[in-house]
Amino acid sequence: MMLSSEIQPSTTILIADDDADDRLFMAEALRQNQFGSTVKFVEDGEELMNYLTCANGFTVENAPRPSLILLDLNMPRKDGFEALKEIKTNPHLCRLPVVVLSTSSAKEDVKRAYGLGGNSFITKPHNFSRLTELMGSLKLYWMETVQLPD
């Protein structure tokens, strides 16, 4: 339990999703769960990797290292599987927790995501109230329960 006098380190959640509506709904669901973390969005796997490696306009100042990545699988330019593989094979990024959050529930996609080093696989809910519950569960588990690497 955190005492009110303790200072909680700043955390950043990075969400990689190409669907503008999904990004909007996730931001609102996080807001409703009173996330104290910074939330950043990228629109595809290529932009995700640029963010994580501070390339192509991303810097340490505008792209803080995330504590957690929420990763969609079906994105243009570089899909979630490709990005996940790059993250988990990069010695500077491999300890970042990655939760796959996809419309897919295909067993092959679940196996492949875990095989590439994904930390969790969640199928996106089809309604906003369930998404809000899901974001609350993610907050409780990833931000308040587990100890994350620096």
Side-chain angles (χ1 to χ4, degrees):
M1 177 188 294
M2 188 174 89
L3 302 175
S4 59
S5 63
E6 292 181 68
I7 297 173
Q8 186 176 16
S10 177
T11 57
T12 299
I13 308 300
L14 178 58
I15 300 174
D17 197 308
D18 66 316
D19 187 288
D21 289 336
D22 284 353
R23 291 192 306 270
L24 178 69
F25 290 137
M26 282 188 267
E28 179 59 22
L30 290 167
R31 189 192 65 73
Q32 287 192 19
N33 278 288
Q34 300 170 339
F35 253 58
S37 304
T38 300
V39 180
K40 298 280 192 169
F41 292 91
V42 292
E43 297 183 14
D44 59 52
E46 192 169 306
E47 189 178 9
L48 170 62
M49 295 313 300
N50 286 334
Y51 179 106
L52 293 173
T53 59
C54 291
N56 293 322
F58 288 104
T59 65
V60 173
E61 290 77 29
N62 69 12
R65 184 173 176 89
S67 299
L68 178 66
I69 298 170
L70 301 181
L71 178 65
D72 186 26
L73 292 178
N74 301 311
M75 297 183 293
R77 297 197 307 164
K78 182 178 292 183
D79 70 24
F81 290 119
E82 294 170 297
L84 180 58
K85 182 178 180 181
E86 283 186 43
I87 292 166
K88 294 302 181 176
T89 58
N90 181 315
H92 302 289
L93 303 174
C94 64
R95 286 184 296 282
L96 288 174
V98 179
V99 173
V100 173
L101 189 57
S102 176
T103 55
S104 174
S105 60
K107 289 184 188 289
E108 311 81 52
D109 288 345
V110 174
K111 285 180 185 177
R112 185 173 176 202
Y114 279 111
L116 291 171
N119 298 92
S120 294
F121 190 105
I122 301 169
T123 301
K124 286 180 184 176
H126 294 291
N127 66 61
F128 183 72
S129 64
R130 181 66 187 112
L131 179 63
T132 302
E133 289 173 15
L134 173 65
M135 290 301 168
S137 295
L138 287 172
K139 175 188 175 196
L140 177 64
Y141 184 74
W142 288 104
M143 300 292 106
E144 299 173 9
T145 304
V146 300
Q147 186 169 346
L148 296 171
D150 291 334

